[in-house]
Amino acid sequence: IMFSGNCNTSKCFCIGSIIVNVCGSGSAQHNSINIFESYKTINATKFSFQAFSSIKGNTPNETIAQLQEYASARLKHLGRGGARRAYLLSSRKVLKIAINEKGIQQNNAEIEISKNAKPDAMITKVYDYSKSDSCWLICELIRPVNNEEEFFKYAQYDLSDVIAALKEFKKFQNSGGKVTKSYVDDLFLWNVWQTVNDANIAIFDLNKIDHWGINVDNKLVILDYGFTNQMLKKVQDDTGEFKDFL
């Protein structure tokens, strides 16, 4: 989702699958602007994490409504997808709040994957979340990769070559082979494979440039990792498509 404001600069970033253009009018120039500075224009002093995290309604829908009301009155609203809204919490963190049951499920998926991820996993990190109902989570702010050229700058591979390598590793594993660091023989591809394999992320979901981003530490990461191989298998069973990605 792309949003535009009325000032003269453009600042774009991603929260999961939500793409946001803050204070922009027209196309964003990602290379020329440090989007992580955008917090300087936001006053979040009225936001109390203690008050926010203690909100609890009588039903999940009531809780969600109260959380959204509290956050929207105090934080910069970045955008929404079909299941969650996102708010800028700080210069490095984003607050995502579910708007329905699907949003809670997506939060749960990201929470579990992030909790079990290795320290160097190439995913958007989850810093905190609602332990009682997963209605909200706090994750890192990510800038989307601009284009194939920028992806190559960070990966030293074209995205198509990364996808081809991952599919080969998956095929080898499915045939009974063990994909090891020495088998992969490349540190970047090994890190990507470990992240994808450990989290059971569908390789198909990484096949678009806008599914990759750069974090505040200037590292390449996967933006949205809630689409698993089980979900892809269900799509494949229903449609007959994407067989070569399983």
Side-chain angles (χ1 to χ4, degrees), residues 79-175:
R80 62 164 288 175
R84 294 181 291 184
R85 281 194 176 93
Y87 301 87
L88 189 60
L89 190 60
S90 77
S91 60
R92 299 175 71 93
K93 296 179 181 180
V94 167
L95 172 66
K96 293 197 280 192
I97 306 175
I99 59 177
N100 50 37
E101 179 60 32
K102 184 179 178 182
I104 293 175
Q105 292 173 1
Q106 290 182 4
N107 281 348
N108 271 324
E110 291 186 11
I111 290 164
E112 289 306 309
I113 291 172
S114 184
K115 278 179 12 181
N116 297 316
K118 293 181 173 66
D120 58 349
M122 298 172 63
I123 59 172
T124 306
K125 291 179 173 57
V126 174
Y127 296 118
D128 202 356
Y129 58 93
S130 171
K131 275 71 172 178
S132 60
D133 52 24
S134 301
C135 283
W136 58 267
L137 62 78
I138 296 171
C139 63
E140 64 179 326
L141 182 66
I142 302 294
R143 175 180 68 77
V145 169
N146 294 315
N147 48 43
E148 295 279 353
E149 289 74 20
E150 187 180 32
F151 183 91
F152 185 88
K153 172 185 172 183
Y154 283 89
Q156 294 300 298
Y157 285 99
D158 291 332
L159 178 57
S160 59
D161 292 333
V162 172
I163 298 300
L166 292 174
K167 290 167 68 174
E168 281 300 314
F169 302 156
K170 186 72 173 177
K171 182 178 179 180
F172 179 66
Q173 185 182 69
N174 289 343
S175 68

Side-chain angles (χ1 to χ4, degrees), residues 1-2 12-20 30 124 142-148 150-151 159 163 204-214 220-225:
I1 303 173
M2 190 72 74
C12 286
F13 48 90
C14 276
I15 310 95
S17 57
I18 304 171
I19 304 175
V20 186
H30 297 158
T124 306
I142 302 294
R143 175 180 68 77
V145 169
N146 294 315
N147 48 43
E148 295 279 353
E150 187 180 32
F151 183 91
L159 178 57
I163 298 300
F204 167 79
D205 206 35
L206 309 180
N207 203 25
K208 295 181 179 180
I209 199 69
D210 57 5
H211 285 201
W212 297 82
I214 310 299
L220 188 67
V221 295
I222 300 168
L223 287 176
D224 190 2
Y225 48 91

Side-chain angles (χ1 to χ4, degrees), residues 6 19 34 56 85 103 107 117 170 176 182 193 195 216 229 237:
N6 296 315
I19 304 175
N34 180 0
K56 186 70 176 176
R85 281 194 176 93
N107 281 348
K170 186 72 173 177
S182 60
W193 169 253
T195 299
V216 292
N229 283 310
D237 289 342

Side-chain angles (χ1 to χ4, degrees), residues 13-64:
F13 48 90
C14 276
I15 310 95
S17 57
I18 304 171
I19 304 175
V20 186
N21 179 14
V22 177
C23 297
S25 54
S27 60
Q29 300 297 322
H30 297 158
N31 286 327
S32 61
I33 294 174
N34 180 0
I35 57 86
F36 301 116
E37 295 298 315
S38 60
Y39 177 65
K40 290 181 178 179
T41 66
I42 295 166
N43 182 2
T45 56
K46 296 180 181 179
F47 182 87
S48 164
F49 180 73
Q50 182 177 0
F52 173 81
S53 59
S54 65
I55 292 173
K56 186 70 176 176
N58 294 322
T59 66
N61 285 339
E62 188 175 303
T63 298
I64 286 171

